[in-house]
Short mmCIF file of all heavy atoms in Angstrom, two decimals:
data_model
loop_
_atom_site.label_atom_id
_atom_site.label_comp_id
_atom_site.label_asym_id
_atom_site.label_seq_id
_atom_site.Cartn_x
_atom_site.Cartn_y
_atom_site.Cartn_z
N PRO A 24 43.80 4.48 30.32
CA PRO A 24 44.02 3.11 30.53
C PRO A 24 45.54 2.68 30.25
O PRO A 24 46.17 3.48 29.53
CB PRO A 24 43.13 2.50 29.31
CG PRO A 24 42.80 3.55 28.45
CD PRO A 24 43.00 4.90 29.27
N THR A 25 45.95 1.54 30.68
CA THR A 25 47.31 1.14 30.57
C THR A 25 47.90 1.29 29.12
O THR A 25 49.04 1.76 29.02
CB THR A 25 47.56 -0.29 31.09
OG1 THR A 25 46.95 -0.28 32.39
CG2 THR A 25 49.07 -0.69 31.11
N HIS A 26 47.19 0.86 28.11
CA HIS A 26 47.78 0.90 26.84
C HIS A 26 47.96 2.30 26.33
O HIS A 26 48.93 2.60 25.54
CB HIS A 26 46.89 0.14 25.85
CG HIS A 26 45.55 0.58 25.54
ND1 HIS A 26 44.51 0.70 26.42
CD2 HIS A 26 45.13 1.16 24.43
CE1 HIS A 26 43.49 1.17 25.87
NE2 HIS A 26 43.82 1.64 24.68
N LEU A 27 47.11 3.25 26.75
CA LEU A 27 47.31 4.58 26.21
C LEU A 27 48.45 5.31 27.12
O LEU A 27 49.18 6.18 26.64
CB LEU A 27 46.06 5.41 26.38
CG LEU A 27 45.05 4.95 25.40
CD1 LEU A 27 43.71 5.86 25.56
CD2 LEU A 27 45.44 5.02 23.95
N ARG A 28 48.54 4.93 28.37
CA ARG A 28 49.75 5.39 29.14
C ARG A 28 51.08 4.97 28.54
O ARG A 28 51.93 5.75 28.44
CB ARG A 28 49.65 4.93 30.65
CG ARG A 28 48.55 5.59 31.43
CD ARG A 28 48.62 5.37 32.86
NE ARG A 28 48.95 4.11 33.33
CZ ARG A 28 48.04 3.24 33.76
NH1 ARG A 28 46.64 3.63 33.84
NH2 ARG A 28 48.33 2.06 34.09
N ARG A 29 51.12 3.71 28.18
CA ARG A 29 52.35 3.26 27.52
C ARG A 29 52.61 3.97 26.29
O ARG A 29 53.75 4.35 25.93
CB ARG A 29 52.18 1.75 27.19
CG ARG A 29 52.73 0.81 28.27
CD ARG A 29 52.87 -0.57 27.82
NE ARG A 29 52.63 -1.37 29.03
CZ ARG A 29 51.68 -2.27 29.12
NH1 ARG A 29 50.85 -2.50 28.04
NH2 ARG A 29 51.49 -2.94 30.21
N LEU A 30 51.57 4.13 25.44
CA LEU A 30 51.82 4.89 24.18
C LEU A 30 52.21 6.23 24.46
O LEU A 30 53.13 6.80 23.69
CB LEU A 30 50.40 4.87 23.40
CG LEU A 30 50.43 5.48 22.07
CD1 LEU A 30 51.36 4.72 20.98
CD2 LEU A 30 48.89 5.58 21.46
N ALA A 31 51.69 6.94 25.35
CA ALA A 31 52.07 8.36 25.73
C ALA A 31 53.37 8.47 26.50
O ALA A 31 54.11 9.52 26.64
CB ALA A 31 50.95 9.04 26.49
N GLY A 32 53.84 7.31 26.96
CA GLY A 32 55.09 7.29 27.78
C GLY A 32 54.93 8.00 29.25
O GLY A 32 55.85 8.60 29.63
N VAL A 33 53.82 7.71 29.75
CA VAL A 33 53.54 8.25 31.17
C VAL A 33 53.23 7.13 32.07
O VAL A 33 52.82 6.10 31.64
CB VAL A 33 52.48 9.25 31.19
CG1 VAL A 33 52.80 10.51 30.22
CG2 VAL A 33 51.13 8.67 30.65
N ASP A 34 53.47 7.46 33.40
CA ASP A 34 53.10 6.54 34.47
C ASP A 34 51.99 7.20 35.28
O ASP A 34 52.12 8.33 35.65
CB ASP A 34 54.26 6.26 35.41
CG ASP A 34 55.36 5.35 34.72
OD1 ASP A 34 54.90 4.49 34.02
OD2 ASP A 34 56.50 5.68 35.03
N GLY A 35 50.98 6.40 35.49
CA GLY A 35 49.85 6.88 36.34
C GLY A 35 49.06 7.96 35.64
O GLY A 35 48.92 8.15 34.48
N GLU A 36 48.56 8.86 36.52
CA GLU A 36 47.61 9.96 36.10
C GLU A 36 48.49 11.11 35.48
O GLU A 36 49.62 11.35 35.88
CB GLU A 36 47.02 10.48 37.58
CG GLU A 36 45.93 11.41 37.33
CD GLU A 36 45.41 11.69 38.81
OE1 GLU A 36 44.56 10.96 39.17
OE2 GLU A 36 45.81 12.67 39.46
N VAL A 37 47.78 11.92 34.63
CA VAL A 37 48.44 13.07 33.96
C VAL A 37 47.70 14.32 34.34
O VAL A 37 46.47 14.11 34.81
CB VAL A 37 48.65 12.83 32.52
CG1 VAL A 37 49.57 11.77 32.18
CG2 VAL A 37 47.28 12.76 31.74
N ARG A 38 48.21 15.47 34.29
CA ARG A 38 47.43 16.64 34.43
C ARG A 38 47.64 17.38 33.12
O ARG A 38 48.69 17.48 32.47
CB ARG A 38 48.06 17.49 35.58
CG ARG A 38 47.75 16.92 36.94
CD ARG A 38 48.20 17.90 37.97
NE ARG A 38 47.73 17.36 39.32
CZ ARG A 38 46.55 17.75 39.88
NH1 ARG A 38 45.81 18.65 39.27
NH2 ARG A 38 46.25 17.34 41.04
N VAL A 39 46.50 18.08 32.72
CA VAL A 39 46.55 18.91 31.56
C VAL A 39 45.89 20.26 31.95
O VAL A 39 45.00 20.34 32.86
CB VAL A 39 45.69 18.33 30.32
CG1 VAL A 39 46.44 17.12 29.87
CG2 VAL A 39 44.31 17.95 30.68
N ASP A 40 46.31 21.36 31.34
CA ASP A 40 45.87 22.68 31.63
C ASP A 40 44.77 23.02 30.57
O ASP A 40 44.96 22.83 29.37
CB ASP A 40 46.97 23.74 31.60
CG ASP A 40 47.85 23.65 32.72
OD1 ASP A 40 47.46 23.18 33.82
OD2 ASP A 40 49.11 23.86 32.51
N VAL A 41 43.54 23.46 31.13
CA VAL A 41 42.50 23.78 30.24
C VAL A 41 42.14 25.30 30.60
O VAL A 41 41.86 25.65 31.74
CB VAL A 41 41.21 22.90 30.56
CG1 VAL A 41 40.10 23.47 29.74
CG2 VAL A 41 41.62 21.49 30.30
N ASP A 42 42.36 26.14 29.62
CA ASP A 42 42.10 27.59 29.79
C ASP A 42 40.68 27.99 29.44
O ASP A 42 40.37 29.17 29.65
CB ASP A 42 43.10 28.43 28.97
CG ASP A 42 44.57 28.08 29.32
OD1 ASP A 42 44.91 27.95 30.51
OD2 ASP A 42 45.35 28.16 28.37
N GLU A 43 39.85 27.08 29.03
CA GLU A 43 38.46 27.49 28.62
C GLU A 43 37.58 26.71 29.68
O GLU A 43 38.05 26.12 30.58
CB GLU A 43 38.18 26.88 27.26
CG GLU A 43 39.11 27.34 26.27
CD GLU A 43 39.08 26.61 24.97
OE1 GLU A 43 37.86 26.50 24.48
OE2 GLU A 43 40.00 26.03 24.40
N GLU A 44 36.28 26.64 29.34
CA GLU A 44 35.33 25.86 30.11
C GLU A 44 35.82 24.49 30.07
O GLU A 44 36.17 23.95 29.08
CB GLU A 44 33.97 25.97 29.63
CG GLU A 44 32.89 25.32 30.41
CD GLU A 44 31.50 25.67 29.93
OE1 GLU A 44 31.29 25.74 28.77
OE2 GLU A 44 30.62 25.83 30.84
N VAL A 45 35.77 23.74 31.26
CA VAL A 45 36.20 22.29 31.31
C VAL A 45 35.12 21.42 30.80
O VAL A 45 34.10 21.20 31.45
CB VAL A 45 36.69 21.96 32.75
CG1 VAL A 45 37.08 20.52 32.77
CG2 VAL A 45 37.88 22.87 33.15
N THR A 46 35.31 20.88 29.65
CA THR A 46 34.37 19.96 28.97
C THR A 46 35.14 18.75 28.48
O THR A 46 36.34 18.77 28.48
CB THR A 46 33.65 20.68 27.76
OG1 THR A 46 34.69 20.74 26.75
CG2 THR A 46 32.91 21.93 28.12
N THR A 47 34.45 17.69 28.10
CA THR A 47 35.16 16.52 27.58
C THR A 47 36.01 17.05 26.42
O THR A 47 37.21 16.62 26.33
CB THR A 47 34.12 15.50 27.18
OG1 THR A 47 33.41 15.07 28.30
CG2 THR A 47 34.73 14.32 26.49
N ALA A 48 35.39 17.85 25.48
CA ALA A 48 36.13 18.19 24.35
C ALA A 48 37.40 19.04 24.73
O ALA A 48 38.54 18.79 24.14
CB ALA A 48 35.25 19.07 23.39
N THR A 49 37.31 20.00 25.67
CA THR A 49 38.49 20.81 25.93
C THR A 49 39.52 19.96 26.71
O THR A 49 40.79 20.19 26.48
CB THR A 49 38.11 22.04 26.73
OG1 THR A 49 37.51 21.68 27.97
CG2 THR A 49 37.26 22.94 25.97
N VAL A 50 39.10 19.02 27.48
CA VAL A 50 40.12 18.15 28.21
C VAL A 50 40.81 17.25 27.22
O VAL A 50 42.12 17.15 27.19
CB VAL A 50 39.45 17.32 29.29
CG1 VAL A 50 40.40 16.23 29.82
CG2 VAL A 50 38.95 18.19 30.48
N LEU A 51 40.14 16.70 26.32
CA LEU A 51 40.71 15.82 25.20
C LEU A 51 41.69 16.58 24.31
O LEU A 51 42.70 16.14 23.88
CB LEU A 51 39.64 15.01 24.48
CG LEU A 51 38.88 13.99 25.31
CD1 LEU A 51 37.88 13.23 24.45
CD2 LEU A 51 39.80 12.98 26.00
N THR A 52 41.24 17.77 23.93
CA THR A 52 42.04 18.65 23.08
C THR A 52 43.33 18.94 23.79
O THR A 52 44.48 18.94 23.32
CB THR A 52 41.39 19.99 22.73
OG1 THR A 52 40.23 19.60 21.91
CG2 THR A 52 42.27 20.87 21.93
#
Side-chain angles (χ1 to χ4, degrees):
T25 303
H26 69 287
L27 293 181
R28 286 195 314 262
R29 265 193 216 121
L30 184 62
V33 298
D34 289 323
E36 188 175 278
V37 298
R38 286 190 175 265
V39 293
D40 292 325
V41 178
D42 296 328
E43 310 166 52
E44 185 172 40
V45 178
T46 67
T47 299
T49 59
V50 169
L51 293 178
T52 297

